Amino acid sequence: MLEIAPSVLAAHPLYVARDVSKVIEAGASILHLDIMDGHFVPNISFGPAMVKALRVEYPNVLLDVHLMLSQPERYLDDFVAAGADQITIHSEIEGDVPGMLKAIRQAGKGAGISLKPATPAKKIAPYLDLLDLVLIMSVEPGFGGQILMPETLPKLKALRSLGFEGVLSVDGGVNLANSHQVKQAGATRLVMGTAAFTAEDPKAMFEALSAE
Ligand code: DX5
Ligand code: ZN
């Protein structure tokens, strides 16, 4: 079944509770949380306190945490303690990537890895057994509201060909108009920031996404 994960980055920073409750009431059961350090990406967003606040408010919502951090190993424990359900690190970082993925799983959380647009699927071939989720960036990470790069989508089928059976998530510029293309490419989860948080009727949009 298709999963839809609204990205909280697109909520109004002063009215996160108002905006998040709107997408939850519309049926979302996953929230995607973009954590940016101003180093791995040029932007800075929010941290474990936001994850924890959402965990307390929404105990049953799956919290899908996307770490755009140069040194995620420094913060894994904090995001585990904050109540993340799935933690995704980037494939382009330096450091012990398999060690971090194992640590995430040992903490009882789902482990994910993300690929920037220029990173090929084969880069993560050695880690596929350690992964519950792969997050394909369909924009350069750092900012919401960008245009989806369709040339990133063939990586989804490439990962299936390599034998990956977990969640295939696409992040960046996904909207109702291009969702068919993203699903055809093999996505099982659509991350949506701008499209989910600016929808006048998010329930109707989520239903339309799932119906196709
Ligand atoms: C970009 C983030 C995305 C972003 C998506 O670095 O990883 O999750 O919030 O936002 P939209 O859907 O607006 O492209
Ligand atoms: Zn993201």
Side-chain angles (χ1 to χ4, degrees):
M1 214 190 86
L2 181 74
E3 299 178 314
I4 299 162
S7 173
V8 174
L9 189 68
H12 191 295
L14 266 187
Y15 301 104
V16 172
R18 176 199 68 187
D19 290 357
V20 168
S21 67
K22 193 173 164 194
V23 295
I24 298 288
E25 279 161 26
S29 57
I30 304 177
L31 290 172
H32 181 86
L33 295 152
D34 288 309
I35 314 296
M36 304 182 182
D37 65 356
H39 188 264
F40 182 77
V41 289
N43 197 7
I44 295 175
S45 58
F46 38 72
M50 176 69 89
V51 175
K52 186 172 179 192
L54 290 164
R55 175 81 295 152
V56 170
E57 189 71 17
Y58 298 109
N60 300 318
V61 167
L62 190 148
L63 300 180
D64 166 23
V65 173
H66 175 193
L67 298 181
M68 284 163 271
L69 307 178
S70 296
Q71 296 184 295
E73 67 275 21
R74 294 173 59 191
Y75 300 96
L76 293 179
D77 290 348
D78 292 340
F79 285 100
V80 167
D85 295 298
Q86 296 174 328
I87 300 180
T88 294
I89 62 174
H90 262 270
S91 59
E92 300 85 3
I93 57 167
E94 289 173 13
D96 179 9
V97 168
M100 291 179 228
L101 297 171
K102 283 178 198 159
I104 293 167
R105 277 198 170 168
Q106 270 163 16
K109 309 298 180 182
I113 204 159
S114 184
L115 303 176
K116 289 177 25 168
T119 306
K122 66 176 190 299
K123 175 155 191 192
I124 62 167
Y127 316 133
L128 293 181
D129 289 346
L130 302 173
L131 291 170
D132 300 293
L133 176 160
V134 176
L135 181 67
I136 299 295
M137 294 307 303
S138 42
V139 299
E140 287 299 336
F143 299 92
Q146 303 181 73
I147 309 277
L148 179 134
M149 299 162 67
E151 63 271 28
T152 58
L153 299 177
K155 284 189 253 186
L156 298 167
K157 293 240 157 70
L159 285 162
R160 287 288 187 241
S161 303
L162 289 168
F164 180 65
E165 292 179 349
V167 175
L168 282 178
S169 187
V170 173
D171 186 8
V174 180
N175 56 38
L176 188 56
N178 61 28
S179 60
H180 184 70
Q181 184 184 12
V182 179
K183 287 186 281 182
Q184 284 293 110
T188 66
R189 180 179 299 174
L190 308 181
V191 175
M192 293 183 129
T194 307
F197 283 90
T198 62
E200 248 173 61
D201 185 348
K203 185 163 190 278
M205 189 182 70
F206 296 159
E207 283 167 3
L209 288 165
S210 303
E212 268 177 52

